[in-house]
Amino acid sequence: MPPNTTATTGDKPGKSGRKKGRKARLIVLVLVLAVIGGIAFGAYWSISTVRASFPQTKGSITLEGLSGPVDVKRDGYGIPQIYASSDADLFMAQGYVQAQDRFYEMDVRRHMTSGRLSEMFGESQVDNDEFLRTLGWDRVAEQEYDDELSDSTKKYLQAYAKGVNAYLEGKDSADISLEYAALGFTNDYKPAEWTPVDSVSWLKAMAWDLRGNMQDEIDRALMTSRLGPQQIADLYPEYPYTVNAESTTIVQQGEYDELTGAFEGGDGTSSGSADTSTGGSTSTSGSTGTGGATSGSGTSGDATGLQSQLEGLYNVLDDLPTAVGVNGNGIGSNSWVVSGDHTITGEPLLANDPHLSASLPSVWYQMGLHCRTVSSKCQYDVTGYTFAGMPGVIIGHNQDIAWGMTNSGVDVTDLYLEKLSGDGYLYDGKTKPFETRTETIKVAGGSPKKIVVRKTEDGMPLLSDRSKELVKVGQKATVDNAAPDRGDGYGIALKWTALDPGTTMDAVFAMDRAKDWDDFRDAAELFDVPSQNLVYADSEDNIGYQLPGKIPTRAKGDDGSVPVAGWDSENAWTGYIPFKALPYELNPKRGYIVTANQAVVDDKYKYTLTTDWGYGTRSQRITDLIENKIKGGGKISTDDMRQMQTDNSSEIAKLLVPTLLKINIDDPDVREAQDLLQDWDKTQDADSAAAAYFNAVWRNILKLAFGNKLPKELRVEGQCLWVDPANATDAVDDTAKVRECGQRDADQAQPDGGDRWFQVVRDLMDKQDSAWWTTPKSATGREGADHDRDDLFKRAMIDARWELTAKLGKDIDTWSWGRLHRLFLKNQTLGTSGPGFLQYVLNRGPWRLGGGEAAVDATGWNAAGGYGVVWVPSMRMVVNLDDFDKSKWINLTGASGHAFSAHYTDQTAKWAKGELLDWSFSQEAVDKSTSDTLVLKP
């Protein structure tokens, strides 16, 4: 009962009470009618709309433009295998079939890449469209199609588009997908025909999410408002080459050649000789110096003035729709290949599982593309994973070779400060005019909006034109005395390899038809953006690795870790690392190659690839699992590879638990939780109570030691602290001067708990009196000890106990990691922002998962934001080079993008358990697994 009120019984309600009662009854009636209407509305959709959009998978369909019949054979999971007698028919059928399953997804993607989301979703997407129009992905894709791609690739793209449009012909929007039916209530949008450029544009979205270290570049600059150079260096430790260089880099065997920048392998392999005419930096690739404290470009060492400017940029980047990752953060992947010397079959095994943000449907689409007879007329017999909207196969195998990919993380983006002057910008003492164009953004339900896009002579778009915050900070950026007069402020421009036309689409087809290592490397040379770690195996028992991509060289020793001054030509890129100088490895003596986003080469390599590698936690664990098997005298099987993919061992737990168990705990409830760690094997199974408690302790250690000491721009939005600006720690007491609230989305905030933070804590463990171990005062007034690691750990254990009590209950017997660590699959448009009923229809979950951050089974979570799963192994595959029909694969969701299809999420439960499906390749195996056959007739 509220205070200062009395309750009476038996009295008649007054006049105001009767009004309130009638109003309450009216609200209830409206809600009941809404529920009834929603049920009827859902019934209408399920009967008339949903079924209308399901694809025909049996019988025959006539497609104008085919030269011969095409068979589409689908297995029990709806995965299609296409058989044709010409390349054109094969890719036309691919376009038709992908549109059957996923056209809405394809349509959203092309609107994103062309900056036309407002045409579908209205005014809420105008800011995103402005930014995407400024980047101009679709324009670059059009240049690629017109000027760079081979004639054969263009023909394949045209055939694919013809197939998509054959599917669209004569269909109303509601006949294509449920989402269009929903849009129809507010928008008269109708999908346009598909074009070849629509397919090429998607490569830009993929490149954006795999763009390298731009986020680290921004974060380092933001930290300068609160932390000094040495503190930033503590939080960006140098790559641990000296710990075990032979197992912490991808390319290991060989000697550095001072003249070429290449690795000459002691086993007869070589990464090639380099044409060094393009120059290049001589700085090491692993050092971050003082965490990016100097730019080498005339900007001030602490870069304090950049803070708001870069935060504005971050806000724009973070708001973009997710393409194939968490907007560049937390992106990872595993791939490894083992030679026949160490396998049961005597032929190689190759595994791959890219770690991307969870999406529904999955970003990947499984299929096979088979020529009935491989010849010059029909060149392909390939199967694997591709993207809906793109012809060909991105990752998989053909009849001779198999390949996988992980993000290399090389630095292919730089931010430039620009001195604006009238309608131009300053460059080497002269004012140059911007190149400009006017863009008109059409808005569903609103008036069109025009914007002017400006870019430099070098093709760099001016990103600050798209953010008021960026304009404000241009007035504050700190520069040295040699910098030009500030005037109205500096702008920010972006240099990025993907803004130049390239040949990656050519590389996809070249890889699909490669027959050996030489063909594979020729294809890799065309794979310019995004740069990926490529692993290789073939049926002749060869294994290999190649780093491809356009990777810039920089002058003046710049390492690309911080923004540079655009007014000085000495800061311009000097060229690109020649392909022949890029690292590769063929048949290393150790008999296996592991890539998991760690450093490609050691710090003796001539060129700077990046300063922001992953720190090798996953790669070391995979290496250990392989070595343990080999040293134990065993041979590795396909199922061994699968079990390695699902390994959920916590490497940070192995470091911290011995110390946590030594801490004296007085509170019996906390001591009960501590006891969970006594016999724990450090695995993070979904049903593990110990894993739940340890990860809660880890989260609280990070929060107490680092999170509360970071600037608000990096902390979780809505989490507020009373902060003493003088010492940058939370001060929950009456003397606090400033209340600061975080500004970043929970799945993007810091400290995220990834393997960079593993390395941070590892480096500090022996420094028990480090200032980082200062425990903030508790909310109850308890004063923490200064510079005492174990005191901070004790506080984290106490806070974790009561956090989990609140979340999971007091009884630790009911605790489990999976109750905290849950995966929700959400439709990436209407499933995140549509009406509640529609979200219920489109979304699925939750699933309780094992695994964790920086585990091989990388079901990532952000320690700053919570325990929910934010990125996942988006697919898993193991290719058996001895018998392709014994290969295995799985997708995160299913083949279909239709919400009520049996194949919407029919692979997810098996994926969550770490299981794999049979992967048919030969005609005999495909026929045996076929459930439905559709014949496309000319």
Side-chain angles (χ1 to χ4, degrees), residues 146-172:
D146 290 341
D147 303 330
E148 300 293 332
L149 298 181
S150 67
D151 290 340
S152 62
T153 293
K154 290 180 183 179
K155 290 178 181 177
Y156 300 156
L157 289 164
Q158 291 163 5
Y160 181 90
K162 186 187 295 185
V164 175
N165 294 328
Y167 168 76
L168 295 176
E169 187 175 358
K171 288 184 173 63
D172 292 330

Side-chain angles (χ1 to χ4, degrees), residues 131-327:
F131 186 79
L132 291 163
R133 294 286 183 97
T134 301
L135 288 174
W137 289 346
D138 59 332
R139 291 174 174 270
V140 180
E142 192 168 354
Q143 286 180 278
E144 286 186 6
Y145 182 78
D146 290 341
D147 303 330
E148 300 293 332
L149 298 181
S150 67
D151 290 340
S152 62
T153 293
K154 290 180 183 179
K155 290 178 181 177
Y156 300 156
L157 289 164
Q158 291 163 5
Y160 181 90
K162 186 187 295 185
V164 175
N165 294 328
Y167 168 76
L168 295 176
E169 187 175 358
K171 288 184 173 63
D172 292 330
S173 297
D175 295 331
I176 299 172
S177 81
L178 181 154
E179 289 92 335
Y180 287 122
L183 285 176
F185 286 97
T186 58
N187 186 356
D188 60 356
Y189 170 81
K190 296 184 186 306
E193 287 196 342
W194 192 263
T195 72
V197 173
D198 292 334
S199 295
V200 179
S201 295
W202 178 240
L203 290 171
K204 301 304 172 185
M206 182 174 72
W208 179 255
D209 273 357
L210 304 174
R211 63 193 178 271
N213 75 334
M214 183 188 290
Q215 193 56 61
D216 290 310
E217 189 172 336
I218 292 170
D219 285 358
R220 274 191 288 264
L222 292 173
M223 286 180 182
T224 60
S225 68
R226 183 58 54 82
L227 305 176
Q230 184 54 54
Q231 291 173 306
I232 295 174
D234 288 345
L235 302 188
Y236 283 89
E238 293 190 6
Y239 190 83
Y241 293 113
T242 56
V243 175
N244 189 353
E246 288 191 358
S247 61
T248 56
T249 61
I250 296 172
V251 176
Q252 299 173 23
Q253 295 178 352
E255 296 179 358
Y256 176 67
D257 186 327
E258 292 285 351
L259 297 179
T260 65
F263 281 75
E264 300 296 339
D267 54 358
T269 64
S270 168
S271 68
S273 60
D275 173 4
T276 58
S277 60
T278 57
S281 168
T282 58
S283 62
T284 62
S285 60
S287 172
T288 57
T290 58
T294 60
S295 69
S297 61
T299 55
S300 171
D302 63 5
T304 303
L306 289 176
Q307 177 186 340
S308 300
Q309 191 168 20
L310 291 173
E311 175 58 22
L313 174 60
Y314 173 84
N315 289 336
V316 176
L317 305 187
D318 185 45
D319 197 39
L320 291 181
T322 298
V324 294
V326 193
N327 290 321

Side-chain angles (χ1 to χ4, degrees), residues 304-370:
T304 303
L306 289 176
Q307 177 186 340
S308 300
Q309 191 168 20
L310 291 173
E311 175 58 22
L313 174 60
Y314 173 84
N315 289 336
V316 176
L317 305 187
D318 185 45
D319 197 39
L320 291 181
T322 298
V324 294
V326 193
N327 290 321
N329 292 329
I331 302 282
S333 298
N334 302 321
S335 69
W336 66 95
V337 59
V338 181
S339 74
D341 289 342
H342 303 305
T343 67
I344 287 176
T345 65
E347 295 291 338
L349 293 170
L350 185 149
N352 196 189
D353 55 289
H355 306 155
L356 306 171
S357 65
S359 60
L360 183 60
S362 166
V363 69
W364 298 110
Y365 185 91
Q366 298 154 286
M367 72 186 322
L369 302 172
H370 307 279

Side-chain angles (χ1 to χ4, degrees), residues 360 823-825 840-847 899-900 904-905:
L360 183 60
L823 170 66
F824 291 86
L825 291 175
Y840 176 80
V841 168
L842 294 174
N843 298 339
R844 298 291 183 271
W847 285 267
F900 288 101
Y904 191 48
T905 56

